[in-house]
Amino acid sequence: MAYPWILTVTWPVDMDNGDYPLIKPGPYWKKFKANFCEFTAVLIQQCQYSILYDSYLMDTVISLLTGLADSRVRAFRHTSTLAAVKLLTALVRVNLNLDVSKCNAQRLYQVEKNRISVKRTNHRLDQLERKRKEYEQKPLEIENMMNAIFKGTFLQRYRDVIPEIRAICIEEIGSWMKMYPDTFLNDSYLKYIGWMLYDKQPEVRLKCLLGLQGIYNRKELVSKMDLFTSRFKDRIVSMTLDKDHEVAVQAMKLLMLMSQNCEDVLSSEDCEILFQFVYTTHRPLAVAAGEFLYKRLLSYQGTEEEVPPKRRGKFGANTCYMRKLVTFFLESELHKHITYLVDSLWDWAGSLLKDWECMTTLLLEAAEEEALSDAQESALIEIILVTVREAAEGHPPVGRGAARKILSAKEKKIQLEDCTKITEHFIVVLPQLLAKYSADAEKVANLLQIPQYYDLDVYSTGRLEKHLDALLKVVKGIVAEHSDMDVLEACSRMYYVLCNEEAAIHRRADLARTQLIDELVDKLNELLDDSWHEGEGLCTDEEGICRIYSTLRRIAAFHNAHNLTKWNLYGKTSKLLVFEMEHGSLSVQMILPALQCTYFALLWQLASVVERSSSKETLLALNRELRFFCQICACYLSHKDKDLSEKAFTILCDLLMILSHQSSGDNEAVGALQYLPSTSLQSKMLLFIQDHVFTEEKEEIKDLTEEEEREKEGYKLNDLHRRRSLLAVYCKLIVFTVVEMSAAAEIYKHYMKTYNDFGDIIKETLSRTRHNNKIQSAKTLILCLQQLFQKHTETHGSTNSMDSSFTNIKELARRFSLTFGWDQVKSRESVAMIHKEGIEFAFHGAAGVEGKCLPPNLSFLLIISEFSNKLLKPDKRLVYGYLQRYITEPASCRGDEWHPLVWYRNSLLANEDEENSVISSLREWSPTSRSKTSYFKRKLSNGSLPETSHTETTNKTPDFLCTPDLTAAVGKSRKRLKSQDTSLQECLPFFCPVGLSRRCREDVIKAEDFSADNIGEDVDVVGADQVCDGVYQPCTWLTGADQSLESTPPHPCYTGSRWRGQIKGGSAGQSGLLEEEEGRVLQAAAEELLTHPAVGTMDSGCAADD
């Protein structure tokens, strides 16, 4: 046997070097790997007739590969393992060819032997006998070679430390089982795939699943998998929750093959778990689960005769399948997520989901014995709406895709055909459905959304105007019957779609809308004229108030999307608001819609002024009305009714956002409408946020039933959504500089305490404000910490730095520092400003410049020390020099009371052994020499930072704190902000002595070079402790190919799956999925909540789904 002499010739120093051809990226090396594998196959193919059996070539090659596979050098081990397993694959093909040749030789031998003795030739018979024995001998030799490779290479390398090598071994053994099941498809070999299902690397687990798919896809092989299926079925089911999405998808596909080809392999409990994956946010997994659901529940595997006779008819089996789908949806108890269910089934049950004729027939023409229940009807109507939306838009729902996909020409053609089909069918059917369910608000609200997906030209081309008249008549009756806001907004939206000026039916729809508004306004005028008395207000009974309230709600719903200015509603509704503000005797039910109507009236007037020129008198009148309405909203902030005050706050914030950004660039007159809130109004709004967002109601501890507990949780969730909306609408004012940025300091105080509820909104606010103005944002952060510190000193004293409140402030500072990220150059000005303001605050109130008296705020240095690791080394020396200005006699600063100063000093001058440095400094502090301090002062007096050594400099000259354009970012958008020179003058004392601030403007400043390798800060990833990477499952090691099948891996490898929170809702055992999904939805909504609002758009609320 040849010794692997190459090991004695080449022995690299780095045995784990990853630079070798098999793992190099790029198409060239990918092709090299494919050619290398092909070479081994061609080598065996060319040698399969003679050289393969000479007992030299193969013995030498196998010996060489086995020796290299045991090498400690990764490149040798990886390459030789790949060559060895590919060699075994080629030998399997040779063995298969030998089996075919052996069968042919055996058949020819029997034919020749059965001939009559006259025609039989002994020579031919002997020749066939020798060939038959030769074909019987060659497979034995091939088997020996295969065993040598398997035992010498596979058994050692399938558990290799390198995941690529393990994946190669598992991939090839799966192909051996499919190619040569007589030898390899048994429990002795299957156990290796079963064990590696627990591998901690997703790549290896994926290869296991793909190999098993090839086996379970062939029914003739499934009979040999009984023991394996019973041992590892539970593991495969659990892998649908794998943290790697691709592994979860392939596990779902494998289970689908198992359910098709294995009888009763999956229990009903297993199927229920797998069905719930149709609600997951990861679309490939949801589609795989949808295929499993469709083939398991929504399709018959047999013929049409298997469909129950009662279900046959015009629509065949679709009626039965639709009932099953509705039943499944209701039993899953996830009524808010029907969109995800339909999207999961769309690729597999498209013909069923597009059979709208079948669905509407079930609603309109079902026999009494087969009639749907009320819950089933609601579910089916919701399915109709979702399928119509999916067909018309052609995009997955929100949360199932990063962006809208670009449709191909074929997909666009299908989309247009579906829109035409939808229009032609529902133009006729929708009025009938609305008439039947006109009393049910939920059903009507869903049905009224269908017309927005119409092709309106079909009305005129198909001469179907009579159906339009029927639709408008039914909708008019619905408006008169319902006062539910969802129904009214759906009606308003439908009129908005039908009144599109580009549509041929515009005039007919506009006439119907005008008649409807006329009736509503006339009714309101009549009610107000009958019940309103000057000086006394409304004098009517409860029924009259209810009628006024309902009429105002209907008008407000239409005023949101339609311009009702010509009806002059502003005067009527503002009169109600003023009377309530002065006397406070009106019903809150009436004031809420009146407030909305007034707001919409002003917005439509503002929009008309912006679009076309108006007279000066009109602008002045509108300006007075806008400011007066702002005063009304500000007055209502302190109203005793919570709903009214919060609605007034939301409207006020939106209106301030709009008015503060009225640009006068195109129209000078419009600029006169610009309005910024006064200081007193800002204080009121901030106080409102503190009272309504960060103040929680005390809960009464009492025993609740399960139903009451659910209601309580629902109330908490709605209350959280309400408070998040209030905070977001106020933070928008901060981000867009409508209110002073310093107001954010009050918000930042609650960052730690309310992180789970509002952390995403606060972090987004911090990020946006820092992007707008780095310096002012830094001042806001330090102001927040200063206010918290002052509150702490008032309660616990200035010297108590061990109290929990001080620890919380210090932790808050640490979290603030983490928000600056890795780029120290980018955050240089902000961090420097924090240290400057912090030092000044710490020594504020000290007796004399000498600092002989202990400053009252000295402990604040411990807080700002959390930002020291964000400073560049040259800046640390500058900060230290600035600190020295407040301590002219360091020798007098001794004792435990000066511990904060010592700690802060060490955070600036030492990064290593910080704790030991502090302890040693407490004993004896050797101050920096006078010469060094003078050196810094000389450099700063020249208006530049000190020069650094060659290794500490870079060729790049970054913007620094005294750069004018960095301090005036907000001054362009806010007249109130300080001027550029003022901000510059405030920043410069940190770098220059007093009186030399003006010299620093034009100097070129060099910064220290630093690399990512030297940065050791943590990243602010809150909630990382809540992520579970799976449960480790240590297992014992078993060797040998002949051992019994075990359900656990033979070595300490770990499961890589975890509960990822993909399912929205489900049974109690899946509650973790829903909680994490809801948390993800709330977190993802923060940035959306901080976007600029659109003017005159409908208030569609915040969707609960992603």
Side-chain angles (χ1 to χ4, degrees), residues 193-445:
I193 294 183
W195 288 339
M196 300 312 289
L197 288 172
Y198 293 88
D199 194 276
K200 61 182 178 180
Q201 293 296 327
E203 179 184 359
V204 182
R205 300 195 298 274
L206 182 61
K207 294 297 182 182
C208 294
L209 295 172
L210 293 176
L212 291 173
Q213 286 180 18
I215 298 173
Y216 279 101
N217 195 30
R218 297 167 59 180
K219 290 187 177 181
E220 66 273 13
L221 302 181
V222 172
S223 59
K224 299 182 178 181
M225 303 289 292
D226 293 340
L227 182 58
F228 178 89
T229 302
S230 63
R231 292 291 181 89
F232 293 101
K233 185 258 296 184
D234 293 338
R235 170 58 184 162
I236 297 173
V237 171
S238 69
M239 291 179 74
T240 55
L241 295 169
D242 197 276
K243 65 180 180 181
D244 185 84
H245 290 307
E246 186 61 25
V247 174
V249 171
Q250 297 305 325
M252 183 65 69
K253 292 182 178 180
L254 175 59
L255 289 168
M256 183 179 59
L257 293 174
M258 293 171 64
S259 67
Q260 290 177 349
N261 298 324
C262 302
E263 296 182 1
D264 302 328
V265 65
L266 296 177
S267 63
S268 59
E269 291 79 8
D270 294 332
C271 291
E272 289 178 3
I273 293 174
L274 298 178
F275 288 160
Q276 298 302 317
F277 280 93
V278 295
Y279 298 105
T280 183
T281 56
H282 183 61
R283 194 170 191 275
L285 179 58
V287 171
E291 181 183 5
F292 180 80
L293 173 64
Y294 175 72
K295 293 182 177 180
R296 183 87 180 187
L297 188 65
L298 301 178
S299 65
Y300 282 105
Q301 302 297 329
T303 61
E304 182 70 18
E305 297 178 356
E306 296 181 9
V307 181
K310 293 183 179 180
R311 300 289 189 254
R312 297 179 191 171
K314 183 178 179 181
F315 305 105
N318 279 0
T319 303
C320 178
Y321 300 154
M322 192 59 62
R323 289 176 179 272
K324 285 187 176 182
L325 180 61
V326 170
T327 303
F328 168 78
F329 172 61
L330 293 175
E331 290 178 351
S332 63
E333 298 180 355
L334 293 169
H335 62 283
K336 293 184 179 180
H337 301 90
I338 185 66
T339 306
Y340 293 93
L341 173 61
V342 171
D343 182 63
S344 301
L345 293 169
W346 194 256
D347 295 343
W348 301 101
S351 60
L352 172 65
L353 296 175
K354 292 181 182 180
D355 194 351
W356 296 293
E357 188 177 358
C358 172
M359 301 181 195
T360 53
T361 302
L362 279 174
L363 293 172
L364 294 174
E365 302 177 4
E368 292 184 2
E369 64 274 6
E370 296 181 358
L372 300 174
S373 64
D374 182 69
Q376 289 176 328
E377 288 178 340
S378 299
L380 184 55
I381 290 175
E382 196 170 355
I383 290 175
I384 290 175
L385 172 61
V386 172
T387 53
V388 167
R389 183 190 300 126
E390 185 92 4
E393 295 180 349
H395 300 289
V398 177
R400 282 274 174 91
R404 291 179 175 267
K405 65 178 182 179
I406 300 176
L407 301 179
S408 62
K410 182 179 179 181
E411 291 174 334
K412 288 182 180 179
K413 181 180 178 181
I414 296 174
Q415 183 181 5
L416 292 176
E417 293 175 353
D418 290 339
C419 285
T420 304
K421 181 180 177 182
I422 291 168
T423 306
E424 292 175 349
H425 177 69
F426 284 99
I427 277 179
V428 179
V429 176
L430 185 59
Q432 303 175 28
L433 291 172
L434 290 173
K436 180 178 180 180
Y437 300 107
S438 60
D440 193 314
E442 182 182 359
K443 296 184 178 70
V444 168

Side-chain angles (χ1 to χ4, degrees), residues 783-898:
L783 175 63
C784 170
L785 297 174
Q786 289 172 359
Q787 291 176 354
L788 289 173
F789 180 81
Q790 288 176 340
K791 183 177 180 180
H792 165 76
T793 54
E794 292 173 0
T795 307
H796 302 89
S798 60
T799 60
N800 189 357
S801 61
M802 302 301 293
D803 190 81
S804 60
S805 63
F806 185 86
T807 306
N808 293 335
I809 301 173
K810 198 168 183 292
E811 177 63 18
L812 179 62
R814 187 187 72 85
R815 298 289 285 275
F816 283 161
S817 70
L818 293 178
T819 61
F820 287 102
W822 301 97
D823 193 348
Q824 291 176 305
V825 174
K826 184 178 179 181
S827 60
R828 191 179 187 186
E829 301 94 349
S830 302
V831 178
M833 177 55 65
I834 288 175
H835 283 275
K836 172 185 176 297
E837 296 286 336
I839 291 174
E840 293 177 353
F841 176 77
F843 288 94
H844 179 71
V849 182
E850 290 78 8
K852 294 181 180 180
C853 181
L854 184 70
N857 300 329
L858 187 66
S859 299
F860 192 74
L861 294 176
L862 293 174
I863 296 174
I864 63 172
S865 66
E866 297 292 340
F867 297 92
S868 297
N869 60 347
K870 296 297 180 181
L871 286 169
L872 295 171
K873 288 185 179 179
D875 294 348
K876 287 185 177 181
R877 292 194 291 268
L878 281 172
V879 172
Y880 178 73
Y882 190 72
L883 178 66
Q884 290 295 94
R885 293 174 53 186
Y886 292 88
I887 309 172
T888 57
E889 297 182 7
S892 62
C893 301
R894 296 184 179 181
D896 294 340
E897 65 274 9
W898 292 93

Side-chain angles (χ1 to χ4, degrees), residues 659-675:
L659 295 179
S660 63
H661 287 77
Q662 293 300 319
S663 175
S664 60
D666 299 331
N667 190 346
E668 295 182 358
V670 175
L673 298 176
Q674 189 175 18
Y675 176 71

Side-chain angles (χ1 to χ4, degrees), residues 493-511:
R493 189 181 296 110
M494 194 208 71
Y495 273 104
Y496 179 81
V497 172
L498 297 178
C499 293
N500 185 3
E501 295 182 358
E502 298 179 358
I505 61 173
H506 161 64
R507 292 186 177 180
R508 189 184 296 259
D510 183 62
L511 179 61

Side-chain angles (χ1 to χ4, degrees), residues 149-164:
I149 296 175
F150 185 85
K151 294 180 179 179
T153 302
F154 180 88
L155 288 181
Q156 304 302 322
R157 299 278 68 82
Y158 89 96
R159 51 179 175 169
D160 195 277
V161 69
I162 305 300
E164 291 87 350

Side-chain angles (χ1 to χ4, degrees), residues 604-792:
W604 281 111
Q605 293 182 47
L606 181 62
S608 62
V609 167
V610 173
E611 291 175 358
R612 51 186 176 276
S613 59
S614 302
S615 62
K616 186 176 181 181
E617 292 77 11
T618 303
L619 289 174
L620 291 176
L622 178 59
N623 194 16
R624 287 193 300 269
E625 292 174 353
L626 289 170
R627 279 151 178 73
F628 182 65
F629 182 72
C630 289
Q631 294 176 6
I632 293 175
C633 292
C635 179
Y636 281 147
L637 293 182
S638 57
H639 198 277
K640 59 183 179 180
D641 186 80
K642 186 176 182 181
D643 294 335
L644 179 58
S645 62
E646 291 179 354
K647 176 60 71 174
F649 179 81
T650 304
I651 290 176
L652 178 61
C653 290
D654 289 342
L655 188 59
L656 289 175
M657 176 69 70
I658 297 170
L659 295 179
S660 63
H661 287 77
Q662 293 300 319
S663 175
S664 60
D666 299 331
N667 190 346
E668 295 182 358
V670 175
L673 298 176
Q674 189 175 18
Y675 176 71
L676 294 173
S678 62
T679 305
S680 60
L681 180 57
Q682 292 187 39
S683 301
K684 280 185 178 181
M685 297 174 69
L686 184 58
L687 183 62
F688 181 89
I689 286 294
Q690 292 174 341
D691 293 339
H692 288 257
V693 176
F694 298 112
T695 302
E696 297 184 359
E697 299 178 358
K698 294 183 179 179
E699 299 182 5
E700 296 181 2
I701 302 176
K702 59 181 181 179
D703 296 334
L704 301 176
T705 62
E706 185 177 353
E707 183 66 24
E708 292 175 341
E709 195 69 33
R710 281 198 298 266
E711 292 179 359
K712 183 180 178 181
E713 291 297 326
Y715 171 78
K716 286 184 178 180
L717 188 60
N718 293 333
D719 181 67
L720 175 61
H721 172 68
R722 175 187 58 79
R723 291 191 291 148
R724 283 175 59 85
S725 299
L726 293 174
L727 179 61
V729 77
Y730 181 74
C731 287
K732 279 192 293 187
L733 301 181
I734 299 174
V735 169
F736 290 100
T737 65
V738 179
V739 301
E740 292 288 351
M741 193 181 296
S742 58
E746 294 294 332
I747 308 296
Y748 297 159
K749 292 178 182 179
H750 304 275
Y751 180 63
M752 292 290 298
K753 183 180 179 181
T754 63
Y755 184 85
N756 292 333
D757 296 336
F758 312 115
D760 53 342
I761 298 177
I762 297 176
K763 286 182 69 174
E764 187 67 21
T765 304
L766 180 57
S767 176
R768 297 283 188 93
T769 53
R770 184 176 296 156
H771 177 75
N772 295 339
N773 190 330
K774 295 180 180 180
I775 301 302
Q776 193 64 28
S777 176
K779 289 184 176 181
T780 305
L781 287 181
I782 200 66
L783 175 63
C784 170
L785 297 174
Q786 289 172 359
Q787 291 176 354
L788 289 173
F789 180 81
Q790 288 176 340
K791 183 177 180 180
H792 165 76

Side-chain angles (χ1 to χ4, degrees), residues 54-69:
D54 63 359
S55 300
Y56 177 76
L57 175 64
M58 292 306 299
D59 290 351
T60 304
V61 172
I62 292 174
S63 175
L64 174 63
L65 294 179
T66 302
L68 290 175

